[in-house]
Amino acid sequence: SKCVGGNIHPCGLGKYSGESATVCKACAAGQYANATGSEHCAACEPGTMQNSTQQMSCWRCGVGTYQPVPAATICSECTPGQHASGTGSRACTHCGRGTRQAHAGKSACKSCPAGTHASSEHEEVTSSFEIFAGPSPIISIKTISPHE
């Protein structure tokens, strides 16, 4: 609340003021005030963000994105080899054995196609084929891109 000429005026949503204040201040990006008369702004929780000032809430990170820290102004895309299937993720999940994800910002991993495999997490199989000379293979080639 602000005090002007002996009258008390509560600060509006998205604003705050300290003791003996004469003006209300807007909450910074990454923060919010969801009640009138707030004395301080609250930080957006991990898994959420707010990129505007003077707000009364935070946005949940979208599918395929995450935010591990409080008071964030953006959510980051999951990197290739990871996914976030729901909203409000604090971290991305690595694709498991036998699955892959070649693109950033995705909600799920895909099963490896026939003739390929991902033998461990953090691996993306880009191709796998055998060269035949007669009834048995003479060489087997696999191209694997590691992801950290």
Side-chain angles (χ1 to χ4, degrees):
S1 298
K2 63 180 179 175
C3 184
V4 178
N7 296 321
I8 297 174
H9 303 279
C11 294
L13 297 173
K15 293 183 176 185
Y16 74 101
S17 69
E19 192 173 328
S20 302
T22 57
V23 296
C24 295
K25 296 179 181 178
C27 293
Q31 301 179 343
Y32 68 99
N34 61 1
T36 59
S38 294
E39 294 180 10
H40 64 277
C41 297
C44 293
E45 296 288 323
T48 68
M49 57 77 74
Q50 181 51 260
N51 60 0
S52 299
T53 61
Q54 195 174 324
Q55 297 300 307
M56 61 181 192
S57 64
C58 298
W59 295 98
R60 291 171 61 99
C61 292
V63 171
T65 66
Y66 73 103
Q67 182 47 256
V69 299
T73 58
I74 62 166
C75 293
S76 300
E77 285 189 331
C78 295
T79 59
Q82 299 181 336
H83 73 284
S85 59
T87 61
S89 293
R90 295 175 180 212
C92 297
T93 303
H94 290 284
C95 295
R97 292 181 188 270
T99 65
R100 65 188 176 94
Q101 183 47 259
H103 304 286
K106 297 299 179 179
S107 63
C109 296
K110 298 177 182 180
S111 294
C112 293
T116 68
H117 75 285
S119 59
S120 66
E121 293 180 356
H122 317 292
E123 225 177 59
E124 180 66 38
V125 176
T126 54
S127 65
S128 176
F129 58 93
E130 294 180 333
I131 300 172
F132 289 90
S136 61
I138 58 168
I139 188 168
S140 179
I141 301 171
K142 292 181 181 168
T143 305
I144 299 175
S145 304
H147 291 285
E148 297 184 27

